[in-house]
């Protein structure tokens, strides 16, 4: 309601201000026009009066004696000339003269006031009649109007009056001229001012309208953004509540049940829902990074085939469950090593594979293939496609699927779940890698998601900052039992449940764990007895002193153990830029959060030789 009133007020103010500007401008224009008319009227009136006076300077008789050029030598000619000159000087006009109608629409100059130029007067060739002298010939004094008179004399204001003889006939025309440049200038300036005011008015109205339109558009945009935010929140709330519901429900069932099998089933469901929830959270975080233009690529040299294997490994289990046939085809030309953001590329492929598994019925088939489409100036263009025999996508829905929160049909989200963010994120990543992504699909028959990326060939070295940090350490042979008896870890973690998870997860390994509630406490504990610890697990985001700072302080303690002790970051930020930050702070390694048990075990195996024995008491 408040916003509605505010909008009305803005519109009202715009129209009120435009209207008042319009009225002021119109009024000023009218005033200026009447001032100009008044000026004109005065000047013209004065000139007509002067022409009438000039008509009396010489008599009809005197003028009738001046006809040929020889008559110019008569004393009367000079006398009249002088009288005219005096008259002009007294009345402040430029020219005073006499004309005569010589028939055939032409006039002849008889005499004027001008002594300076070589005056010819009676010898001057006839000049055509103008309107004003014609009126004088008919006995009426008039003016030619500003700037109108005459051929070659446009800067003069002229007035003409008849010279009558005793019978009342017009024998000559008396003319007076004044240079009216100033008057014309003033008149033109007034006209210019009017034009300027009109232009200003137009600008005021147009810019006002523009401003108003902009305001309205902004208001609409913010309304749309509010609506999108609302839709986003309700969609995300649904997406997060669904797995949360499963987790809470299954936990309750597991607690109530004494049947081990049932408990196992519940735990399996809880694990599935949790990893789904994690996916949703990751998508939202990625999307917010994209929105804030914060998504950056971190190129490294990587083994393309291994990256594909890992991506396939992530969906293999689900594909197996649905008895789908998942095959990978890599064209022989594709370089084994490439230089690019391996994680982000794997993210796109995993997303497409995940969708293919999700939208393909049991027993269907999925093909992941990669080929080298082009190689120029050391840059390879790879074309990667994921083809399935799934439900397919109708043509009209294909183009919008790459927009945020878009799903083919509302029913799809109910049936299959999903945030509708995966393809939007994939599109952005692919574009950042200099490529494009598109769909080829037939409804009911299957879909192909194809994309290209541009990458340099990579070097034959694996520059992974965590050389052994593959997901779950899958290429490692599993041990019968991992025992770290005799070792002690310092765990810096501010959240109690996270501390409990680590302690409980590692209980079977006999690893002794000392907990610190933040970075400062971890530094203090370590400082008290550096040799007491064999490894440090360091959460990154902690109050007071964060994991980076705590690591820096430990490394700077100046005792040999402080420099040697392995420090493993435990952080939810798993992209290379985050990992690099950990490395720069002095950490050795990293495990992602939520914790993957295998990953933690992998780090323990790497940094702690097995079977040490009893924990030395302090
Ligand atoms: P999500 O899968 O989380 O809903 P995506 O952006 O990955 O979000 O996909 C958007 C939509 O595109 C899906 O909801 C689905 O309607 C459609 N889609 C994606 N991949 C496929 C596929 N392989 N077969 C059929 N439809 C698909």
């Amino acid at each position: 309601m408040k916003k509605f009133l505010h909008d009305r007020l803005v519109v009202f103010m715009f129209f009120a201000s435009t209207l008042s500007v319009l009225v002021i401008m119109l009024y000023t224009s009218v005033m200026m026009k009447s001032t100009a008319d008044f000026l004109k009227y005065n000047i013209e009136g004065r000139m007509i009066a002067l022409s009438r006076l000039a008509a009396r300077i010489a008599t009809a008789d005197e003028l009738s004696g001046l006809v040929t050029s020889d008559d110019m030598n008569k004393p009367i000619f000079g006398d009249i000339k002088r009288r005219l000159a005096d008259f002009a000087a007294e009345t402040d006009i430029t020219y005073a003269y006499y004309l005569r109608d010589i028939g055939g629409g032409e006039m002849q100059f008889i005499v004027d006031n001008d002594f300076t130029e070589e005056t010819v007067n009676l010898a001057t060739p006839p000049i055509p009649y103008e309107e004003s002298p014609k009126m004088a010939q008919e006995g009426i004094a008039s003016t030619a109007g500003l700037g109108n008179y005459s051929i070659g004399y446009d800067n003069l204001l002229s007035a003409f009056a008849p010279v009558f003889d005793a019978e009342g006939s017009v024998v000559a025309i008396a003319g007076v001229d004044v240079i009216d440049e100033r008057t014309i200038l003033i008149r033109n300036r007034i006209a210019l001012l009017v034009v300027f005011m009109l232009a200003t008015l137009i600008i005021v109205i147009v810019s006002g309208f523009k401003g108003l339109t902009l305001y309205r558009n902004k208001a609409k945009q913010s309304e749309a953004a509010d609506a999108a935010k609302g839709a986003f929140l309700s969609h995300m709330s649904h997406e997060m509540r669904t797995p949360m519901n499963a987790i809470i429900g299954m936990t309750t069932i597991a607690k109530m049940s004494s049947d081990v099998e049932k408990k196992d089933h519940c735990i399996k469901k809880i694990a599935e829902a949790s990893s789904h929830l994690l996916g949703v959270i990751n998508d939202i975080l990625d999307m917010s990074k994209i929105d804030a233009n914060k998504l950056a690529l971190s190129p490294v040299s990587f083994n393309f085939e291994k990256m594909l294997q890992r991506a396939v490994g992530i969906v293999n289990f689900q594909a197996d469950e649905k008895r789908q046939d998942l095959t990978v085809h890599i064209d022989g030309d594709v370089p084994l090593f490439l230089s690019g953001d391996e994680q982000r590329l794997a993210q796109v492929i995993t997303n497409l594979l995940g969708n293919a598994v999700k939208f393909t019925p049991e027993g269907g088939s999925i093909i992941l293939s990669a080929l080298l489409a082009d190689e120029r100036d050391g840059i390879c263009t790879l074309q990667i496609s994921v083809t399935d025999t799934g439900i397919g996508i109708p043509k009209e829905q294909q183009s919008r699927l790459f927009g945020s929160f878009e799903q083919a049909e509302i029913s799809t989200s109910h049936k299959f779940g999903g945030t509708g963010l995966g393809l939007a994120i994939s599109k952005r990543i692919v574009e950042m890698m200099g490529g494009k992504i598109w769909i080829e699909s037939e409804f009911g028959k299957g879909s192909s998601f194809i994309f290209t990326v541009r990458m340099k060939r990579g070097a034959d070295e694996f520059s992974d900052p965590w050389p052994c940090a593959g997901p779950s350490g899958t290429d490692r042979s599993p041990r019968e039992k991992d025992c770290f008896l005799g070792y002690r870890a310092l765990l810096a973690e501010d959240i109690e449940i996270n501390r409990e998870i680590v302690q409980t997860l590692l209980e079977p390994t006999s690893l002794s764990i000392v907990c610190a509630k933040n970075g400062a406490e971890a530094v203090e504990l370590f400082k008290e007895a550096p040799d007491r610890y064999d490894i440090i697990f360091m959460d990154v985001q902690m109050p007071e002193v964060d994991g980076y700072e705590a690591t820096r302080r430990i490394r700077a303690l100046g005792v040999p153990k402080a420099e040697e002790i392995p420090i493993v970051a435990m952080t939810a930020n798993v992209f290379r830029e985050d990992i690099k930050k950990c490395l720069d702070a002095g950490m050795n390694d990293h495990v992602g959060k939520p914790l993957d048990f295998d990953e933690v075990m992998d780090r323990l195996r790497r940094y702690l030789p097995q079977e040490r024995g009893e924990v030395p008491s302090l």
Side-chain angles (χ1 to χ4, degrees):
M1 186 62 186
K2 214 169 152 192
K3 189 166 180 324
F4 176 77
L5 284 178
H6 179 258
D7 285 2
R8 294 277 125 164
L9 188 70
V10 169
V11 175
F12 171 76
M13 273 162 59
F14 165 71
F15 280 113
S17 58
T18 310
L19 198 69
S20 49
V21 171
L22 189 72
V23 168
I24 291 170
M25 292 220 169
L26 281 178
Y27 181 71
T28 318
S29 304
V30 170
M31 285 306 290
M32 286 204 295
K33 173 90 175 63
S34 48
T35 310
D37 288 349
F38 184 67
L39 196 72
K40 187 170 179 276
Y41 175 77
N42 265 310
I43 293 171
E44 289 181 356
R46 176 175 172 261
M47 290 303 284
I48 291 170
L50 288 177
S51 71
R52 284 201 182 107
L53 284 177
R56 288 189 222 139
I57 287 171
T59 62
D61 283 351
E62 284 172 329
L63 291 173
S64 61
L66 301 174
V67 179
T68 66
S69 49
D70 288 344
D71 295 336
M72 286 163 62
N73 297 323
K74 289 180 183 170
I76 189 69
F77 182 84
D79 188 36
I80 297 172
K81 203 171 179 74
R82 198 160 302 111
R83 275 184 258 158
L84 286 175
D86 290 347
F87 174 71
E90 279 165 22
T91 55
D92 199 22
I93 57 171
T94 317
Y95 300 117
Y97 48 88
Y98 289 106
L99 299 163
R100 176 186 289 126
D101 176 16
I102 56 168
E106 290 186 324
M107 290 180 300
Q108 177 195 33
F109 266 109
I110 305 172
V111 58
D112 66 9
N113 65 325
D114 199 351
F115 287 94
T116 54
E117 68 181 69
E118 189 151 318
T119 317
V120 278
N121 294 307
L122 291 161
T124 312
I127 54 167
Y129 252 121
E130 296 285 334
E131 191 55 36
S132 231
K134 210 180 273 175
M135 284 176 75
Q137 186 62 34
E138 285 159 12
I140 304 160
S142 72
T143 173
L146 279 174
N148 285 343
Y149 180 76
S150 135
I151 307 154
Y153 292 99
D154 283 350
N155 59 343
L156 294 177
L157 173 62
S158 311
F160 301 93
V163 180
F164 296 104
D165 62 9
E167 279 83 44
S169 309
V170 179
V171 291
I173 301 160
V176 287
D177 294 348
V178 68
I179 292 176
D180 62 355
E181 267 172 351
R182 263 190 61 209
T183 324
I184 291 174
L185 196 73
I186 292 169
R187 191 191 60 175
N188 288 350
R189 280 188 185 162
I190 289 175
L192 204 71
L193 205 64
V194 172
V195 171
F196 179 70
M197 277 168 47
L198 285 177
T200 313
L201 185 68
I202 292 170
I203 290 170
V204 166
I205 294 175
V206 170
S207 57
F209 259 113
K210 278 258 165 243
L212 207 63
T213 323
L214 208 71
Y215 173 81
R216 292 204 138 183
N217 286 349
K218 284 264 169 237
K220 268 192 197 153
Q221 268 173 16
S222 90
E223 270 167 30
D226 284 351
K229 215 195 256 171
F232 169 78
L233 284 178
S234 83
H235 192 75
M236 284 308 121
S237 153
H238 173 262
E239 270 311 302
M240 292 167 114
R241 270 168 193 278
T242 310
M244 272 315 286
N245 193 34
I247 293 168
I248 294 167
M250 285 295 155
T251 311
T252 316
I253 297 172
K255 270 201 295 196
M256 288 185 331
S257 170
S258 49
D259 178 0
V260 177
E261 251 178 51
K262 200 163 190 179
K263 275 189 195 285
D264 274 356
H265 170 78
C266 291
I267 288 165
K268 193 175 152 234
K269 291 286 164 202
I270 291 169
E272 276 171 18
S274 308
S275 73
H276 176 74
L277 188 60
L278 185 64
V280 173
I281 292 168
N282 282 340
D283 275 1
I284 296 170
L285 291 182
D286 273 350
M287 210 54 218
S288 71
K289 269 192 183 178
I290 286 174
D291 280 348
N293 256 338
K294 289 252 169 71
L295 194 75
L297 297 181
S298 317
V300 288
S301 198
F302 67 96
N303 184 317
F304 182 71
E305 277 186 36
K306 279 201 175 157
M307 182 276 297
L308 283 191
Q309 276 168 17
R310 281 197 288 265
V312 170
I314 293 171
V315 295
N316 232 344
F317 174 68
Q318 290 153 292
D320 276 354
E321 266 197 338
K322 288 179 89 174
R323 287 180 288 105
Q324 288 165 340
D325 183 21
L326 173 53
T327 42
V328 182
H329 174 77
I330 307 173
D331 211 82
D333 295 342
V334 176
L336 186 57
F337 289 95
L338 285 166
S339 172
D341 194 322
E342 176 195 7
Q343 280 175 300
R344 291 293 182 188
L345 183 60
Q347 184 181 352
V348 175
I349 295 168
T350 313
N351 177 39
L352 298 184
L353 283 174
N355 278 346
V357 172
K358 185 157 82 169
F359 296 108
T360 301
E362 294 213 352
S365 66
I366 297 161
I367 302 168
L368 165 66
S369 65
L371 58 91
L372 181 67
D374 188 28
E375 183 169 9
R376 229 172 280 180
D377 305 325
I379 307 273
C380 306
T381 304
L382 296 184
Q383 183 170 313
I384 299 168
S385 62
V386 175
T387 305
D388 62 54
T389 55
I391 59 172
I393 307 156
K395 268 258 163 323
E396 62 280 7
Q397 293 175 357
Q398 290 177 11
S399 58
R400 67 178 178 82
L401 290 184
F402 293 105
S404 305
F405 315 117
E406 294 288 2
Q407 293 177 320
E409 278 178 52
I410 300 295
S411 58
T412 313
S413 62
H414 295 317
K415 191 168 165 197
F416 297 97
T419 56
L421 288 176
L423 289 179
I425 296 169
S426 299
K427 179 171 187 275
R428 184 78 188 108
I429 294 174
V430 164
E431 283 170 354
M432 285 175 82
M433 291 181 176
K436 54 187 177 132
I437 183 164
W438 68 97
I439 307 173
E440 287 168 11
S441 176
E442 208 175 316
F443 188 50
K445 295 213 167 145
S447 316
S448 273
F449 282 79
I450 307 156
F451 69 93
T452 57
V453 284
R454 285 153 57 81
M455 284 182 179
K456 282 194 195 140
R457 275 179 187 268
D460 187 359
E461 32 144 309
F462 198 48
S463 59
D464 190 338
W466 317 109
C468 307
S472 317
T474 37
D475 44 356
R476 223 166 290 277
S477 56
R479 284 158 201 262
E480 283 286 285
K481 178 171 175 355
D482 285 292
C483 178
F484 297 100
L485 187 70
Y487 288 105
R488 184 173 280 126
L490 174 59
L491 168 67
E493 167 66 68
D494 58 321
I495 297 174
E496 194 188 341
I497 186 148
N498 287 350
R499 290 197 295 270
E500 191 184 326
I501 289 171
V502 177
Q503 284 174 312
T504 318
L505 273 181
L506 296 181
E507 217 171 62
T509 69
S510 306
L511 178 73
S512 160
I513 299 172
V514 176
C515 294
K517 291 193 191 72
N518 58 49
E521 207 178 303
V523 178
E524 278 314 306
L525 282 171
F526 185 80
K527 210 158 102 186
E528 278 169 20
D531 291 328
R532 191 178 172 206
Y533 305 102
D534 303 291
I535 189 165
I536 301 176
F537 284 110
M538 183 74 82
D539 180 27
V540 169
Q541 273 184 21
M542 286 184 289
E544 291 182 51
V545 173
D546 65 21
Y548 304 121
E549 182 55 26
T551 305
R552 274 191 288 268
R553 290 190 194 175
I554 290 174
R555 292 295 187 216
L557 281 178
V559 289
K561 190 66 188 268
E563 284 165 29
E564 289 159 13
I565 188 159
I567 304 182
V568 178
M570 279 181 157
T571 168
N573 310 329
V574 288
F575 282 99
R576 282 185 194 272
E577 62 261 31
D578 311 307
I579 294 171
K580 188 172 176 301
K581 243 174 124 181
C582 297
L583 275 183
D584 291 346
M587 299 186 205
N588 305 68
D589 215 321
H590 156 274
V591 286
K593 264 186 186 169
L595 288 182
D596 177 350
F597 179 68
D598 287 339
E599 225 182 322
V600 179
M601 289 310 295
D602 181 83
R603 299 308 181 273
L604 289 177
R605 284 181 211 123
R606 191 179 308 162
Y607 295 106
L608 308 178
Q610 299 259 312
E611 310 283 351
R612 181 192 256 199
E614 283 303 313
V615 182
S617 56
L618 286 171

